């Protein structure tokens, strides 16, 4: 089958379009004929092997275990293992898999769900990783309750664009922080208030928030804590950095070490995708409360370009690969 692949950790520009074997499936696996795949910051980390903690997380210490990158997938079931009971060939599905940037991908049954009928394959493929991370960040780590004041930084990005909609769906008053070119998108997603970060510093204002979801930000913890309520919660989702060992994870480590000694909850996010979470998201999608914002789609052969565009920070919403 045709796939985007590499044999060692590399820059996205070094990814190759080539023939690789169709993955074999086990008893609990589903073989998906890929129609579209999602692009997120995690893919860049897995492709490059940076920071090094990514390699230790199970992707391969010296070289990638799977030459084909990509997790988010949407497509049609091609074949199922003997123990699979929820799907049959021909079903339209979405979820996470091993090696989405290929004609076929292997996925565990418990990492897939029926594709929402209201979404295209490209839209559906952008949901699993980012929207599940948002769900875990707001509902689980953030303990979001109706009526709370929520601030989402990076509100025009992949996780942020889902966060604005999910927070509204859970009954929160939402303020979104984004760059100038994304303010219209964030308003259209339902934000009650939008702050252009290139013009205004929200950490210098008088507003206070019950929950801050900081998506890949680099603001000092002291500045973020300043605009939290005394018992508010800060959830850190990723973070930029230049170190090859942990990169932006050092801010998360400091937050978790500080949290037991202050009144505010300072925490990070560990997110894994499941069929149950996808079912929750599908319900929200079917109700109209959640719609993926897809900025651009790229053909499989231009996966490196898609990753390069993602790293600029310019996408308003999500980026997808189509086959």
């Amino acid at each position: 089958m045709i796939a985007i692949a590499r044999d060692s950790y590399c820059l996205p520009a070094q990814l190759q379009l080539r023939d690789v074997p169709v993955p074999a499936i086990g008893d609990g696996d589903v073989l998906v004929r890929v129609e579209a795949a999602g692009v997120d910051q995690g893919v860049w980390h897995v492709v490059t092997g940076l920071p090094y903690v990514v390699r230790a997380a199970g992707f391969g210490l010296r070289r990638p275990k799977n030459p084909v990158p990509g997790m988010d997938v949407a497509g049609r079931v091609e074949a199922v293992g003997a123990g699979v009971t929820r799907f049959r060939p021909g079903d339209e599905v979405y979820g996470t898999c091993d090696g989405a940037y290929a004609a076929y991908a292997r996925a565990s049954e418990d990492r897939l769900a029926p594709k929402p009928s209201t979404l295209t394959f490209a839209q559906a493929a952008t949901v699993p990783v980012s929207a599940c991370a948002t769900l875990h960040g707001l509902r689980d780590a953030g303990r979001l309750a109706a009526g709370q004041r929520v601030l989402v930084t990076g509100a025009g990005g992949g996780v942020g664009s889902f966060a604005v909609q999910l927070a509204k769906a859970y009954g929160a008053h939402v303020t979104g922080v984004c760059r100038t070119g994304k303010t219209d998108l964030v308003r259209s997603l339902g934000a009650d208030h939008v702050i252009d970060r290139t013009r205004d510093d929200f950490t210098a204002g008088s507003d206070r928030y019950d929950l801050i979801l900081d998506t890949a930000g680099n603001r000092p913890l002291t500045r973020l804590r300043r605009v939290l309520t005394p018992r508010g919660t800060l959830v850190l989702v990723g973070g930029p950095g230049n170190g090859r060992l942990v990169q932006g994870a050092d801010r998360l480590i400091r937050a978790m070490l500080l949290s037991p000694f202050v009144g505010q909850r300072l925490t990070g996010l560990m997110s894994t995708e499941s069929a149950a979470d996808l079912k929750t998201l599908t319900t929200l999608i079917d109700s109209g409360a959640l719609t993926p914002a897809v900025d651009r789609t790229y053909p499989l052969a231009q996966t490196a370009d898609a990753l390069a565009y993602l790293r600029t920070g310019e996408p308003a919403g999500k980026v997808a690969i189509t086959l």
Side-chain angles (χ1 to χ4, degrees):
M1 67 174 182
I2 198 71
I4 291 292
R6 82 283 194 229
D7 297 315
S8 60
Y9 293 113
C10 64
L11 295 175
Q14 296 171 296
L15 292 170
Q16 299 175 339
L17 183 68
R18 68 191 196 202
D19 285 325
V20 301
V22 174
I25 60 172
D27 287 348
D29 294 336
V30 175
L31 183 66
V32 178
R33 177 154 54 90
V34 180
E35 296 286 346
V39 182
D40 67 272
Q41 296 292 347
V43 174
W44 185 90
H45 292 297
V46 172
V47 167
T48 62
L50 296 173
Y52 290 145
V53 292
V54 170
R55 308 184 188 198
F59 292 98
L61 290 176
R62 303 184 70 176
R63 61 180 59 86
K65 290 182 179 179
N66 186 351
V68 181
M71 290 182 62
D72 281 322
V73 69
R76 294 182 172 88
V77 174
E78 182 73 13
V80 298
V84 172
T85 59
R86 295 174 48 235
F87 302 108
R88 60 184 181 182
D91 288 349
E92 297 183 350
V93 295
Y94 80 131
T96 55
C97 68
D98 299 321
Y101 298 163
Y104 295 94
R106 177 184 58 233
S108 297
E109 181 184 21
D110 58 6
R111 294 169 64 189
L112 294 175
K115 181 183 77 68
S117 60
T118 55
L119 299 185
T120 66
F121 284 108
Q123 287 177 308
T126 66
V127 172
V129 170
S130 293
C132 283
T134 301
L135 186 66
H136 298 156
L138 293 174
R139 182 193 64 186
D140 302 336
R143 303 173 188 174
L144 177 62
Q148 289 186 323
R149 293 176 59 84
V150 175
L151 180 96
V152 178
T153 70
V159 171
S161 60
F162 286 119
V164 170
Q165 297 178 79
L166 282 171
K168 288 298 296 180
Y170 278 86
H173 181 281
V174 181
T175 295
V177 181
C178 60
R179 62 175 65 183
T180 305
K182 303 182 184 183
T183 55
D184 288 343
L185 169 65
V186 175
R187 289 190 186 94
S188 73
L189 297 175
D192 298 288
H193 182 53
V194 179
I195 297 174
D196 183 342
R197 68 173 178 81
T198 65
R199 299 179 180 178
D200 299 299
D201 179 6
F202 72 87
T203 66
S206 59
D207 290 331
R208 298 293 180 269
Y209 303 94
D210 301 295
L211 171 60
I212 296 176
L213 190 74
D214 186 53
T215 69
N218 57 6
R219 295 173 182 83
L221 294 175
T222 54
R223 301 294 293 177
L224 293 171
R225 289 186 58 214
R226 181 185 177 279
V227 291
L228 270 179
T229 58
R231 295 291 176 180
T233 298
L234 168 65
V235 180
L236 300 174
V237 184
N242 297 318
R244 299 178 70 86
L245 183 60
V246 296
Q247 290 191 7
D250 58 332
R251 191 174 62 131
L252 169 58
I253 294 170
R254 292 197 304 272
M256 296 179 70
L257 290 173
L258 177 62
S259 187
F261 303 100
V262 297
Q264 299 157 329
R265 289 183 62 246
L266 313 176
T267 187
L269 178 65
M270 294 296 291
S271 178
T272 57
E273 304 75 33
S274 69
D277 289 330
L278 291 171
K279 183 178 180 180
T280 297
L281 294 171
T282 297
T283 299
L284 290 165
I285 291 167
D286 288 343
S287 72
L290 184 68
T291 302
V294 180
D295 180 288
R296 290 185 189 179
T297 62
Y298 290 80
L300 182 65
Q302 295 179 15
T303 296
D305 294 334
L307 286 167
Y309 179 53
L310 179 74
R311 293 294 288 179
T312 66
E314 295 179 6
K318 294 288 295 182
V319 176
I321 302 294
T322 56
L323 281 81

